[in-house]
Amino acid sequence: MPNFLLEIGTEEIPASYLSPATEFLVKGFEKILLENKIGYKEIKSFFTPRRIAVLVKGINERQEVWEEEVIGPPKKVALTEDGSLTSQGKGFLLANKAKEYYWRETPKGEYLFIRKKKGGEKTILILASLLPSLIFEIPFPKRMRWAKDGIAFARPIRWICSVFNGSILRFPFPNIRVGNFTYGNKNFKKRIVLKDAKDYERVLKKYKVIPSYEERRKSVLNKANGLAKKVKGEILADSELLDEITNTLEFPVPILVNFAERYLSLPKPVITAVLKKHLRALSIGQGDNLLPYFIVFLNNPLGKKSEVKKWYENSAESRLADAEFFFNEDLKRGLENFLLEEKKVIWIEGLGTLYDKTERMKKLVEKLGSYYPEIDREGLQKATLLSKADLLTNIVREKELTSLQGIMGGIYARMAGEKEVVFQAIGEQYLPIPKTKEGALLALADRFDNIVASFLKGEIPTGSYDPFGLKRMADTILGIFSSHHLFLSVDEPIEFLLGEFSSTDLSLKEKILRFFGERVKLFLMEKGYRYDIADSLISLSPLVPYDLEMRAEALKRFREERKEEFRTLVIGQKRAKNILREAERKGIAYSEIVNPDLLREEPEKVLFEKGKGLEERLKNSLKERRYLETLELLLTLREAIDKVFDEVLVMTEDAELRRNRLSLFSYIKSLFYSFCDFSLLVLEGEEK
C-alpha cells in the first residue's frame, strides 16, 4: 500500500511552537481521512526547528465506496395520476444519474427516494484540495507575514515536500512550487530528492537530521550522560530544558565545557539557572554537589568544537561573574531591607502595591493557620512578611532570573539566620505541592489573592482564554488541599479577600465559586471519579474540596459494592425531585417545615418519624466524616420513601395536605442533600 509524506520546510521555528503545531497537523490529517473515508494504517509525526511533517503509512489510493439514500420530491409532485413520473420526478432521477427509485413514508408524507453510490474518488485529488487550508490553519502564538499576498505562518515557508506513492502530489500554494525534495541539516545546502515517502527518516539521517522528536531527545540525553560520566558526574534532571534543547536542534553534537571553580561558592540554584537561561546548558552534579562543568549542544556536525567551547567558557565566566556580584550585593543589603521598596512597586494597577498584597496575605495565613494548632504561626507570619521581598533583589529583578523567585528568598532568609520553618515556607511557596504545612498555607494565600484580584480586574478565564493562568493556580490550590488533607473551604478565603479589597460587587463571589466548582469537577474526574459523582457534589456549600474528595470515594465504593441498594436510593431521590419540580412548575408553594398534624396517612407519618429520628446520627456521621456510615443511615429511609410513593397521593386535591406532603419530600430531600444531590447521579441505562 502507498505511503504519503507532507513536509513543510521553514526558517527556524521557536521551540515552544513545534509540538502543538505538529499535533494539530496530525489531528487535521486524521479528520480529513476519517471524514472522507480514506483508510490508512498509521500516522507518524516529525518536527525539527526547520520542518513539520507527517507520514501516513498504508494509505488507500481511493476513498471507500458507499451508498447514500437521497430524498427527492414528494409523491404528489413526482407522480402523475396514471402512475408515471412527472417531469420533476424524471428530472430528479436524471440529475442524480439514477434509474431505480422507491417511495417511502416520512413525517411530511410520502416521498421519492433513490440509493446513490458515493465515494471512490482518488485520494490524491481529495488531499490536493484540502491540504492548503490545513497548512494555513495550523495555530501559532504569533505569525509572520513575508509575502506580498499576505501569507502568514510561524516563520517563512521555504519548501513543501509532498510525495504520494513515489510521485509528487501537487497542490496550489502561494509562491511555492510543491515538490518531492527536502533539505538536510542547515549546514548542508544540497537539495535532496525523495523518491519514496517511506525513505524520509533514513535519507534525512544521512544528511544529519534526526526528524523524530523522541529519537532526537533520547540522543541528547544519552550523549549528555556519556560526557557527564567522563568527569565522574551526571546531568541534573531538567525535563523542560531537555525539551527546549531537543526542539532547537536537528542533529545534536554535545560539548563539555568547564567554568571557574570559585563560582561553586554560589548557591546551586543560581548557577543552574544562569546556565539554563543564558546558555541553554545542562548542569552536571555529583551527589548533592555541583561540578564545575556543563554540557551544551551544537547543531552543526561540521562545526569547530574548540572554538565553540571557548565561546561558551567566556560567556559562562561573564554570566556567573554578574550573578556573583548581584548575589553578594543582595547579601550585604539583607532581605528585610527590600520590604520598604514593596510600597513603591505597583502589583496590579488599581489594586495596590506589592506591600499591600503582602499585608493581605499575612492576614489570610493567620486566618487559615488558626485551624491548625500544630503549625508554627509565628514562623508562618515571618515567612509571609518576607515572601515577596526577593522579587526586588538583584538576582531576581536585575538579573531577570524569575525562575528563582521564592528560591532566592528562602536562601537569603536561611543565610540571614531565620529559623528553618521560615526559609522553608518561603522557598516552597511557588511549588505545586509544598512539603511543609506552613509552606502550603503561604502558597494558598498567594494563589487565592491572585485569583480574586484577577476576577476584580475582569480577567475571568473563558475557554482557552486564561492569560494569568488562573486555572492552573486553582488546580494547584486543589492539589495542595488534597495532598495536605486540608479541610479548608474555598468560600472563606474568597469572602475574606473580597472584603479586604472593599468589593461591593455581590455577584463576584458567585462567579469565583462557580469557577472553582468547574475546577473541582475536573479535579475529581482526573482522580478517577465519574462525572456524575462530581456533579452531585460541587453544588454543596461551603465548597470544601478535600471533603468532596472523601465523599466521592464513599459514593464510588457504595456504588460498586451495593449496586441494587445504590440504585434504589438514587431512584427515590429522582422521583422526589421530579414531584417537587412539577409542583414548582405549577406554582405550588412548599417548604422544608412539615406540620405533623397534617400527616394523615400512616406511610407519611412513618417517613417523617424516621427522618426526625435520623437527624442527630446523620449530623454526627457527617461531622466526623464517616461517609459510608452516612450512606448506610440514608439507606434506612428507603422502604419508608417507597411506601409513601406507592400508597400516598402526594398531589391530592386538598391544597393544605398537598403542600404538607410536598414539604415532607422537601425535608427528606434536605437530609439526602446534606451528603450530595443524589438526583444527579446517573444510573445504568440513562448514561449521557
Side-chain angles (χ1 to χ4, degrees), residues 228-278:
K229 285 178 182 177
K230 289 186 178 181
V231 292
K232 299 180 180 178
E234 57 185 7
I235 62 167
L236 300 189
D238 189 331
S239 183
E240 180 186 62
L241 178 57
L242 201 58
D243 288 342
E244 186 180 355
I245 290 170
T246 303
N247 286 347
T248 56
L249 302 169
E250 293 199 305
F251 190 84
V253 179
I255 303 173
L256 181 68
V257 187
N258 62 289
F259 60 86
E261 289 193 27
R262 72 183 180 89
Y263 293 121
L264 292 176
S265 62
L266 287 169
K268 183 176 174 181
V270 173
I271 298 172
T272 57
V274 167
L275 296 178
K276 176 179 179 177
K277 178 178 173 64
H278 297 293

Short mmCIF file of all heavy atoms in Angstrom, two decimals, residues 228-278:
data_model
loop_
_atom_site.label_atom_id
_atom_site.label_comp_id
_atom_site.label_asym_id
_atom_site.label_seq_id
_atom_site.Cartn_x
_atom_site.Cartn_y
_atom_site.Cartn_z
N ALA A 228 28.98 13.46 30.77
CA ALA A 228 28.99 13.70 32.22
C ALA A 228 29.78 12.62 32.95
O ALA A 228 30.48 12.90 33.93
CB ALA A 228 27.56 13.77 32.75
N LYS A 229 29.68 11.39 32.48
CA LYS A 229 30.40 10.29 33.12
C LYS A 229 31.91 10.47 33.01
O LYS A 229 32.67 9.99 33.86
CB LYS A 229 29.98 8.96 32.48
CG LYS A 229 28.60 8.50 32.93
CD LYS A 229 28.20 7.20 32.25
CE LYS A 229 26.79 6.79 32.68
NZ LYS A 229 26.33 5.56 31.98
N LYS A 230 32.35 11.17 31.98
CA LYS A 230 33.80 11.37 31.79
C LYS A 230 34.39 12.23 32.90
O LYS A 230 35.60 12.17 33.16
CB LYS A 230 34.06 12.02 30.43
CG LYS A 230 33.81 11.07 29.26
CD LYS A 230 34.22 11.71 27.94
CE LYS A 230 34.01 10.73 26.79
NZ LYS A 230 34.42 11.32 25.48
N VAL A 231 33.57 13.04 33.54
CA VAL A 231 34.06 13.86 34.67
C VAL A 231 33.47 13.33 35.98
O VAL A 231 33.36 14.05 36.97
CB VAL A 231 33.71 15.35 34.47
CG1 VAL A 231 34.50 15.92 33.31
CG2 VAL A 231 32.21 15.57 34.26
N LYS A 232 33.04 12.05 35.95
CA LYS A 232 32.52 11.35 37.13
C LYS A 232 31.29 12.06 37.72
O LYS A 232 31.14 12.18 38.94
CB LYS A 232 33.61 11.19 38.19
CG LYS A 232 34.79 10.38 37.69
CD LYS A 232 35.86 10.24 38.76
CE LYS A 232 37.03 9.41 38.23
NZ LYS A 232 38.12 9.28 39.23
N GLY A 233 30.42 12.53 36.85
CA GLY A 233 29.20 13.18 37.29
C GLY A 233 28.00 12.69 36.51
O GLY A 233 28.09 11.73 35.74
N GLU A 234 26.89 13.35 36.71
CA GLU A 234 25.67 13.05 35.96
C GLU A 234 24.91 14.34 35.73
O GLU A 234 25.00 15.28 36.53
CB GLU A 234 24.80 12.04 36.72
CG GLU A 234 24.41 12.50 38.12
CD GLU A 234 23.65 11.42 38.89
OE1 GLU A 234 23.56 10.29 38.39
OE2 GLU A 234 23.16 11.74 39.97
N ILE A 235 24.17 14.39 34.63
CA ILE A 235 23.45 15.64 34.34
C ILE A 235 22.29 15.79 35.33
O ILE A 235 21.70 14.80 35.77
CB ILE A 235 22.92 15.69 32.89
CG1 ILE A 235 21.93 14.56 32.62
CG2 ILE A 235 24.05 15.66 31.90
CD1 ILE A 235 21.15 14.75 31.34
N LEU A 236 22.00 17.03 35.70
CA LEU A 236 20.89 17.30 36.60
C LEU A 236 19.58 17.23 35.82
O LEU A 236 19.46 17.83 34.75
CB LEU A 236 21.05 18.67 37.25
CG LEU A 236 22.32 18.90 38.08
CD1 LEU A 236 22.22 20.22 38.82
CD2 LEU A 236 22.55 17.78 39.07
N ALA A 237 18.64 16.50 36.36
CA ALA A 237 17.35 16.32 35.67
C ALA A 237 16.64 17.66 35.48
O ALA A 237 16.48 18.42 36.42
CB ALA A 237 16.47 15.37 36.47
N ASP A 238 16.27 17.94 34.25
CA ASP A 238 15.51 19.15 33.93
C ASP A 238 14.77 18.88 32.63
O ASP A 238 15.26 19.15 31.54
CB ASP A 238 16.43 20.36 33.79
CG ASP A 238 15.66 21.68 33.67
OD1 ASP A 238 14.52 21.65 33.16
OD2 ASP A 238 16.19 22.72 34.07
N SER A 239 13.56 18.32 32.77
CA SER A 239 12.79 17.91 31.60
C SER A 239 12.47 19.08 30.68
O SER A 239 12.51 18.95 29.45
CB SER A 239 11.50 17.23 32.07
OG SER A 239 10.76 16.76 30.98
N GLU A 240 12.15 20.23 31.27
CA GLU A 240 11.81 21.41 30.48
C GLU A 240 12.99 21.84 29.61
O GLU A 240 12.84 22.14 28.42
CB GLU A 240 11.42 22.55 31.42
CG GLU A 240 11.05 23.84 30.72
CD GLU A 240 10.80 24.98 31.69
OE1 GLU A 240 11.74 25.37 32.42
OE2 GLU A 240 9.67 25.48 31.72
N LEU A 241 14.18 21.87 30.21
CA LEU A 241 15.38 22.26 29.46
C LEU A 241 15.71 21.23 28.39
O LEU A 241 16.10 21.57 27.27
CB LEU A 241 16.55 22.44 30.42
CG LEU A 241 17.90 22.79 29.79
CD1 LEU A 241 17.81 24.07 28.96
CD2 LEU A 241 18.97 22.94 30.87
N LEU A 242 15.55 19.96 28.73
CA LEU A 242 15.83 18.89 27.77
C LEU A 242 14.91 19.01 26.55
O LEU A 242 15.35 18.85 25.40
CB LEU A 242 15.64 17.54 28.45
CG LEU A 242 16.33 16.33 27.84
CD1 LEU A 242 17.83 16.54 27.76
CD2 LEU A 242 16.02 15.08 28.65
N ASP A 243 13.65 19.33 26.78
CA ASP A 243 12.70 19.54 25.68
C ASP A 243 13.12 20.72 24.81
O ASP A 243 13.07 20.66 23.58
CB ASP A 243 11.29 19.79 26.22
CG ASP A 243 10.65 18.55 26.82
OD1 ASP A 243 11.13 17.44 26.51
OD2 ASP A 243 9.69 18.68 27.59
N GLU A 244 13.52 21.80 25.47
CA GLU A 244 13.91 23.01 24.74
C GLU A 244 15.13 22.74 23.87
O GLU A 244 15.19 23.14 22.70
CB GLU A 244 14.20 24.15 25.71
CG GLU A 244 14.48 25.47 25.00
CD GLU A 244 14.77 26.60 25.97
OE1 GLU A 244 14.66 26.40 27.20
OE2 GLU A 244 15.11 27.69 25.48
N ILE A 245 16.12 22.06 24.44
CA ILE A 245 17.34 21.73 23.68
C ILE A 245 16.97 20.87 22.47
O ILE A 245 17.42 21.13 21.34
CB ILE A 245 18.36 21.01 24.57
CG1 ILE A 245 18.93 21.98 25.62
CG2 ILE A 245 19.49 20.41 23.74
CD1 ILE A 245 19.77 21.30 26.69
N THR A 246 16.15 19.87 22.71
CA THR A 246 15.75 18.96 21.62
C THR A 246 15.06 19.71 20.50
O THR A 246 15.26 19.41 19.32
CB THR A 246 14.80 17.87 22.18
OG1 THR A 246 15.46 17.17 23.24
CG2 THR A 246 14.42 16.87 21.10
N ASN A 247 14.27 20.70 20.85
CA ASN A 247 13.49 21.44 19.85
C ASN A 247 14.27 22.56 19.17
O ASN A 247 13.73 23.26 18.31
CB ASN A 247 12.23 22.02 20.49
CG ASN A 247 11.19 20.96 20.76
OD1 ASN A 247 11.28 19.85 20.27
ND2 ASN A 247 10.20 21.30 21.55
N THR A 248 15.52 22.73 19.54
CA THR A 248 16.35 23.74 18.87
C THR A 248 17.43 23.09 18.00
O THR A 248 18.25 23.79 17.40
CB THR A 248 17.04 24.67 19.90
OG1 THR A 248 17.79 23.88 20.82
CG2 THR A 248 16.02 25.49 20.65
N LEU A 249 17.41 21.76 17.95
CA LEU A 249 18.45 21.03 17.21
C LEU A 249 17.84 20.12 16.16
O LEU A 249 16.70 19.67 16.29
CB LEU A 249 19.26 20.15 18.17
CG LEU A 249 19.97 20.82 19.34
CD1 LEU A 249 20.48 19.76 20.30
CD2 LEU A 249 21.13 21.67 18.83
N GLU A 250 18.64 19.85 15.12
CA GLU A 250 18.26 18.81 14.16
C GLU A 250 19.17 17.60 14.30
O GLU A 250 18.76 16.47 14.07
CB GLU A 250 18.33 19.36 12.74
CG GLU A 250 17.28 20.41 12.47
CD GLU A 250 17.02 20.63 10.99
OE1 GLU A 250 17.98 20.90 10.24
OE2 GLU A 250 15.85 20.54 10.60
N PHE A 251 20.41 17.87 14.72
CA PHE A 251 21.37 16.78 14.93
C PHE A 251 22.28 17.18 16.09
O PHE A 251 23.16 18.03 15.94
CB PHE A 251 22.20 16.54 13.66
CG PHE A 251 23.02 15.29 13.72
CD1 PHE A 251 22.47 14.07 13.38
CD2 PHE A 251 24.35 15.33 14.13
CE1 PHE A 251 23.23 12.90 13.45
CE2 PHE A 251 25.11 14.17 14.19
CZ PHE A 251 24.54 12.95 13.85
N PRO A 252 22.04 16.63 17.29
CA PRO A 252 22.76 17.10 18.48
C PRO A 252 24.23 16.68 18.52
O PRO A 252 24.56 15.49 18.40
CB PRO A 252 21.98 16.46 19.63
CG PRO A 252 21.28 15.29 19.04
CD PRO A 252 21.02 15.61 17.61
N VAL A 253 25.09 17.68 18.69
CA VAL A 253 26.54 17.44 18.86
C VAL A 253 26.92 18.02 20.23
O VAL A 253 26.94 19.24 20.41
CB VAL A 253 27.35 18.12 17.75
CG1 VAL A 253 28.84 17.88 17.96
CG2 VAL A 253 26.92 17.62 16.38
N PRO A 254 27.22 17.17 21.22
CA PRO A 254 27.47 17.67 22.58
C PRO A 254 28.89 18.21 22.77
O PRO A 254 29.83 17.74 22.14
CB PRO A 254 27.25 16.43 23.43
CG PRO A 254 27.68 15.30 22.55
CD PRO A 254 27.32 15.70 21.15
N ILE A 255 29.00 19.20 23.65
CA ILE A 255 30.31 19.77 24.01
C ILE A 255 30.36 19.92 25.52
O ILE A 255 29.45 20.49 26.14
CB ILE A 255 30.54 21.14 23.35
CG1 ILE A 255 30.42 21.04 21.83
CG2 ILE A 255 31.89 21.71 23.74
CD1 ILE A 255 30.48 22.38 21.12
N LEU A 256 31.42 19.41 26.12
CA LEU A 256 31.64 19.55 27.56
C LEU A 256 32.45 20.82 27.82
O LEU A 256 33.52 21.00 27.25
CB LEU A 256 32.39 18.32 28.10
CG LEU A 256 32.69 18.31 29.60
CD1 LEU A 256 31.39 18.17 30.40
CD2 LEU A 256 33.65 17.17 29.94
N VAL A 257 31.91 21.68 28.66
CA VAL A 257 32.55 22.97 28.95
C VAL A 257 32.74 23.10 30.46
O VAL A 257 31.92 22.60 31.23
CB VAL A 257 31.68 24.14 28.44
CG1 VAL A 257 32.42 25.47 28.57
CG2 VAL A 257 31.25 23.91 26.99
N ASN A 258 33.82 23.73 30.87
CA ASN A 258 34.04 23.93 32.30
C ASN A 258 33.98 25.42 32.65
O ASN A 258 34.10 26.28 31.78
CB ASN A 258 35.38 23.34 32.74
CG ASN A 258 36.55 24.00 32.07
OD1 ASN A 258 36.77 23.82 30.87
ND2 ASN A 258 37.30 24.80 32.83
N PHE A 259 33.75 25.71 33.93
CA PHE A 259 33.79 27.09 34.41
C PHE A 259 34.64 27.15 35.68
O PHE A 259 34.97 26.11 36.27
CB PHE A 259 32.38 27.63 34.67
CG PHE A 259 31.57 26.87 35.68
CD1 PHE A 259 31.67 27.15 37.04
CD2 PHE A 259 30.67 25.87 35.29
CE1 PHE A 259 30.93 26.47 37.98
CE2 PHE A 259 29.92 25.18 36.22
CZ PHE A 259 30.04 25.48 37.57
N ALA A 260 35.02 28.34 36.08
CA ALA A 260 35.92 28.52 37.22
C ALA A 260 35.31 27.96 38.49
O ALA A 260 34.14 28.23 38.82
CB ALA A 260 36.24 30.01 37.39
N GLU A 261 36.10 27.20 39.25
CA GLU A 261 35.61 26.53 40.45
C GLU A 261 35.17 27.52 41.53
O GLU A 261 34.35 27.18 42.38
CB GLU A 261 36.68 25.59 41.01
CG GLU A 261 36.88 24.36 40.16
CD GLU A 261 37.70 23.29 40.88
OE1 GLU A 261 37.68 23.26 42.13
OE2 GLU A 261 38.36 22.50 40.20
N ARG A 262 35.68 28.72 41.48
CA ARG A 262 35.31 29.68 42.54
C ARG A 262 33.82 30.00 42.52
O ARG A 262 33.26 30.38 43.55
CB ARG A 262 36.14 30.96 42.42
CG ARG A 262 35.78 31.87 41.25
CD ARG A 262 36.72 33.07 41.22
NE ARG A 262 36.42 33.99 40.12
CZ ARG A 262 35.57 35.00 40.20
NH1 ARG A 262 34.91 35.20 41.32
NH2 ARG A 262 35.36 35.78 39.16
N TYR A 263 33.18 29.81 41.38
CA TYR A 263 31.74 30.10 41.30
C TYR A 263 30.90 29.04 42.01
O TYR A 263 29.70 29.24 42.22
CB TYR A 263 31.30 30.25 39.84
CG TYR A 263 31.90 31.46 39.17
CD1 TYR A 263 32.69 31.33 38.04
CD2 TYR A 263 31.69 32.73 39.70
CE1 TYR A 263 33.26 32.44 37.42
CE2 TYR A 263 32.25 33.84 39.10
CZ TYR A 263 33.04 33.70 37.97
OH TYR A 263 33.60 34.80 37.38
N LEU A 264 31.52 27.93 42.40
CA LEU A 264 30.79 26.91 43.13
C LEU A 264 30.38 27.38 44.52
O LEU A 264 29.59 26.73 45.20
CB LEU A 264 31.62 25.62 43.24
CG LEU A 264 31.85 24.85 41.93
CD1 LEU A 264 32.76 23.66 42.16
CD2 LEU A 264 30.52 24.40 41.33
N SER A 265 30.95 28.52 44.93
CA SER A 265 30.54 29.11 46.22
C SER A 265 29.15 29.72 46.12
O SER A 265 28.50 29.98 47.14
CB SER A 265 31.54 30.17 46.67
OG SER A 265 31.59 31.24 45.74
N LEU A 266 28.68 29.97 44.91
CA LEU A 266 27.32 30.47 44.71
C LEU A 266 26.31 29.35 45.01
O LEU A 266 26.63 28.17 44.84
CB LEU A 266 27.11 30.93 43.27
CG LEU A 266 27.76 32.24 42.85
CD1 LEU A 266 27.69 32.41 41.33
CD2 LEU A 266 27.09 33.42 43.54
N PRO A 267 25.09 29.69 45.44
CA PRO A 267 24.08 28.64 45.64
C PRO A 267 23.85 27.86 44.35
O PRO A 267 23.83 28.43 43.26
CB PRO A 267 22.83 29.42 46.05
CG PRO A 267 23.34 30.70 46.62
CD PRO A 267 24.58 31.02 45.84
N LYS A 268 23.67 26.58 44.50
CA LYS A 268 23.47 25.68 43.35
C LYS A 268 22.35 26.15 42.41
O LYS A 268 22.54 26.18 41.18
CB LYS A 268 23.19 24.27 43.88
CG LYS A 268 23.04 23.20 42.84
CD LYS A 268 22.86 21.86 43.56
CE LYS A 268 22.55 20.72 42.62
NZ LYS A 268 22.36 19.45 43.36
N PRO A 269 21.18 26.58 42.94
CA PRO A 269 20.10 27.02 42.04
C PRO A 269 20.49 28.23 41.19
O PRO A 269 20.00 28.38 40.07
CB PRO A 269 18.95 27.38 42.99
CG PRO A 269 19.23 26.62 44.24
CD PRO A 269 20.72 26.58 44.35
N VAL A 270 21.37 29.11 41.73
CA VAL A 270 21.80 30.29 40.97
C VAL A 270 22.62 29.86 39.76
O VAL A 270 22.40 30.32 38.64
CB VAL A 270 22.61 31.25 41.86
CG1 VAL A 270 23.19 32.39 41.02
CG2 VAL A 270 21.74 31.81 42.97
N ILE A 271 23.55 28.97 39.98
CA ILE A 271 24.43 28.52 38.89
C ILE A 271 23.61 27.82 37.81
O ILE A 271 23.73 28.12 36.61
CB ILE A 271 25.52 27.56 39.43
CG1 ILE A 271 26.40 28.30 40.43
CG2 ILE A 271 26.36 27.01 38.28
CD1 ILE A 271 27.38 27.39 41.16
N THR A 272 22.76 26.87 38.22
CA THR A 272 21.99 26.12 37.23
C THR A 272 21.01 27.02 36.47
O THR A 272 20.80 26.84 35.27
CB THR A 272 21.21 24.96 37.89
OG1 THR A 272 20.36 25.49 38.92
CG2 THR A 272 22.16 23.95 38.52
N ALA A 273 20.43 28.03 37.16
CA ALA A 273 19.50 28.95 36.49
C ALA A 273 20.22 29.82 35.48
O ALA A 273 19.71 30.07 34.39
CB ALA A 273 18.79 29.82 37.53
N VAL A 274 21.43 30.30 35.83
CA VAL A 274 22.21 31.12 34.90
C VAL A 274 22.58 30.32 33.67
O VAL A 274 22.44 30.79 32.52
CB VAL A 274 23.48 31.66 35.60
CG1 VAL A 274 24.45 32.24 34.58
CG2 VAL A 274 23.12 32.70 36.64
N LEU A 275 23.05 29.10 33.88
CA LEU A 275 23.47 28.26 32.75
C LEU A 275 22.27 27.89 31.87
O LEU A 275 22.39 27.84 30.64
CB LEU A 275 24.15 26.98 33.27
CG LEU A 275 25.47 27.19 34.03
CD1 LEU A 275 26.01 25.85 34.53
CD2 LEU A 275 26.51 27.88 33.16
N LYS A 276 21.13 27.68 32.49
CA LYS A 276 19.93 27.30 31.73
C LYS A 276 19.40 28.49 30.93
O LYS A 276 19.15 28.36 29.73
CB LYS A 276 18.86 26.79 32.69
CG LYS A 276 17.51 26.47 32.02
CD LYS A 276 16.51 25.96 33.04
CE LYS A 276 15.16 25.66 32.40
NZ LYS A 276 14.20 25.08 33.37
N LYS A 277 19.23 29.64 31.59
CA LYS A 277 18.60 30.79 30.94
C LYS A 277 19.47 31.38 29.85
O LYS A 277 19.00 31.71 28.76
CB LYS A 277 18.27 31.86 31.99
CG LYS A 277 17.65 33.13 31.38
CD LYS A 277 17.30 34.14 32.45
CE LYS A 277 16.85 35.46 31.84
NZ LYS A 277 15.62 35.36 31.06
N HIS A 278 20.75 31.56 30.13
CA HIS A 278 21.61 32.30 29.21
C HIS A 278 22.40 31.42 28.24
O HIS A 278 22.78 31.89 27.17
CB HIS A 278 22.58 33.17 30.01
CG HIS A 278 21.90 34.22 30.83
ND1 HIS A 278 21.22 35.27 30.27
CD2 HIS A 278 21.76 34.35 32.18
CE1 HIS A 278 20.71 36.02 31.23
NE2 HIS A 278 21.02 35.49 32.40
#
